[in-house]
Amino acid sequence: MDPDAVDSLLSGGSDDDDPVADDARVPHGSSDDRQVLDFSANTNPRYPEAVPRIYETALPTAREYPADDYSAFRVPAGEYVGCEPESVIPTAGGLAAIRLAMGTVVHSGESVLVPAPSFSEYAREVRLQGGEPEFVPHDELLDADPADHAMVAVCNPNNPTGEAYDPARLREYADRCRRAETVLLVDEAFLDFTDHPSLAGAEGVIVARSLTKMFGLPGLRAGFAVATGQLRERLAAARLTWSLSEPAAAVGAYCMRQTEFVAETRQRIARERPRMAARLGDRFDVFESDAPFLLCDAGSSEAVDAAIAEARDHDIAIRDARTFRGLDSHFRVAVRMPAENDRLLAALGI
């Protein structure tokens, strides 16, 4: 190796054209203050009843390396999304699945179609691979030509706006991407709050799933990717060895079999979301949503500051959505338990 290159590596390298040095971390919701009622993160305020027992039972296995085939996790994961267990690639959360997909498919100099406003990590992950995100309005994405792009990223339902894509149109677009030899990455982090079918197992598609949202366990870091054929082989080969801890795998496998918990959560969200939207609509413009959150347009940046301050005065955190591309007068709130939702509405004077 050239001596100058060695010196550059030892000194931390040059920031010139370095996607890691140039790309800042993405802001997210959630508060680490246990005294704050957190409406900024879109996670279920409940988790399945036996989670602590399952975790405690599995904890002693953490003294050994996990079995790297993760068959006890892949089987319920396949059942949960409706695909073959062999298509499941375990990851430490949905974002790890997204990074695995990007790192496997996107190469330096290639472009990726990215929805906006949407989950900001897509663009960052593209840049970290040396690629270039090409932004498309999220509600026009399925009309965009996938040809000449390495990948198209879709968030379904979209975060932060909340709308789910029409299943038939999305599947048609997946077929269009396959014909164009462009990989479709579908982030289904919030899809299990809907009755829409997963695209898991579709040819040419990589699905990213998270157990964070539905099962209220963001700190567990459990999720998976789904792909078939050569895509699956590449993901499986690139996956980090021991990519999921044994306790996380055990809890995840248990959670994905809790059909009554999922059904009850969907029913609660279906009741509370329109009630909150109607009340919030007395003061703000509220977006229609299929997800466990609501995006609100306060009318101005100053009005967002006021809403955030009002909530904070009552020990409540809401999500400043001005960090999303193209949003300059918006905030987002999760849909939580009824009494908690009433506390937020009261704090905002609604």
Side-chain angles (χ1 to χ4, degrees):
M1 180 180 284
D2 184 278
D4 291 337
V6 174
D7 289 342
S8 177
L9 286 171
L10 292 175
S11 64
S14 169
D15 286 353
D16 295 339
D17 300 320
D18 182 348
V20 177
D22 293 342
D23 213 33
R25 299 187 72 81
V26 170
H28 292 284
S30 79
S31 171
D32 57 6
D33 185 345
R34 300 296 177 86
Q35 305 304 313
V36 168
L37 180 56
D38 191 3
F39 277 84
S40 68
N42 305 314
T43 59
N44 196 334
R46 298 178 59 239
Y47 54 70
E49 183 178 5
V51 161
R53 176 176 58 80
I54 300 295
Y55 188 92
E56 185 175 359
T57 301
L59 189 57
T61 63
R63 294 178 59 84
E64 301 173 357
Y65 287 103
D68 199 45
D69 63 356
Y70 291 103
S71 58
F73 178 85
R74 290 188 291 105
V75 169
E79 293 170 352
Y80 190 65
V81 297
C83 73
E84 294 298 320
E86 293 76 15
S87 301
V88 173
I89 313 294
T91 60
L95 184 52
I98 291 167
R99 171 164 290 190
L100 177 63
M102 296 278 188
T104 305
V105 173
V106 182
H107 300 93
S108 181
E110 294 182 327
S111 61
V112 176
L113 292 182
V114 174
S118 195
F119 189 44
S120 302
E121 292 284 359
Y122 306 142
R124 179 174 186 265
E125 291 297 329
V126 172
R127 295 190 185 102
L128 286 173
Q129 304 307 320
E132 185 62 33
E134 184 172 316
F135 294 99
V136 180
H138 74 279
D139 52 355
E140 299 175 13
L141 186 65
L142 301 191
D143 295 318
D145 187 356
D148 301 322
H149 300 284
M151 175 181 280
V152 178
V154 176
C155 187
N156 187 37
N158 189 53
N159 178 18
T161 55
E163 316 101 302
Y165 291 92
D166 175 77
R169 286 202 64 209
L170 185 56
R171 188 164 287 276
E172 288 171 2
Y173 192 69
D175 292 340
R176 185 179 177 189
C177 288
R178 179 177 49 78
R179 291 193 297 270
E181 299 184 344
T182 297
V183 174
L184 180 64
L185 170 63
V186 185
D187 180 1
E188 296 182 348
F190 297 103
L191 192 68
D192 42 4
F193 289 92
T194 77
D195 59 2
H196 290 203
S198 171
L199 271 184
E203 184 181 353
V205 174
I206 299 175
V207 161
R209 298 289 297 221
S210 167
L211 304 186
T212 293
K213 315 302 183 184
M214 170 59 73
F215 300 111
L217 298 167
L220 189 68
R221 306 316 305 146
F224 56 95
V226 179
T228 62
Q230 190 174 56
L231 270 179
R232 188 209 69 82
E233 293 175 7
R234 289 178 60 81
L235 291 175
R239 173 181 67 85
L240 285 172
T241 304
W242 310 306
S243 54
L244 192 59
S245 76
E246 193 70 25
V251 171
Y254 159 74
C255 285
M256 288 184 287
R257 288 186 163 125
Q258 304 312 301
T259 55
E260 288 187 12
F261 176 88
V262 172
E264 290 170 359
T265 299
R266 286 182 180 178
Q267 292 166 7
R268 169 168 50 83
I269 298 295
R271 291 192 304 268
E272 286 296 297
R273 185 175 54 215
R275 183 177 77 88
M276 289 183 69
R279 294 276 297 278
L280 288 164
D282 290 340
R283 179 176 173 184
F284 311 105
D285 289 332
V286 182
F287 286 55
E288 291 188 13
S289 177
D290 300 298
F293 55 82
L294 293 165
L295 181 66
C296 301
D297 186 348
S300 69
S301 184
E302 293 76 15
V304 174
D305 288 334
I308 291 172
E310 289 169 16
R312 187 168 52 240
D313 287 344
H314 290 80
D315 295 324
I316 297 173
I318 62 177
R319 177 68 156 92
D320 186 344
R322 292 172 295 186
T323 59
F324 289 94
R325 186 180 185 90
L327 300 183
D328 56 11
S329 59
H330 300 71
F331 66 90
R332 190 194 65 201
V333 297
V335 179
R336 295 181 59 94
M337 303 301 290
E340 295 172 328
N341 297 334
D342 287 339
R343 181 176 160 187
L344 170 68
L345 296 170
L348 296 176
I350 300 171

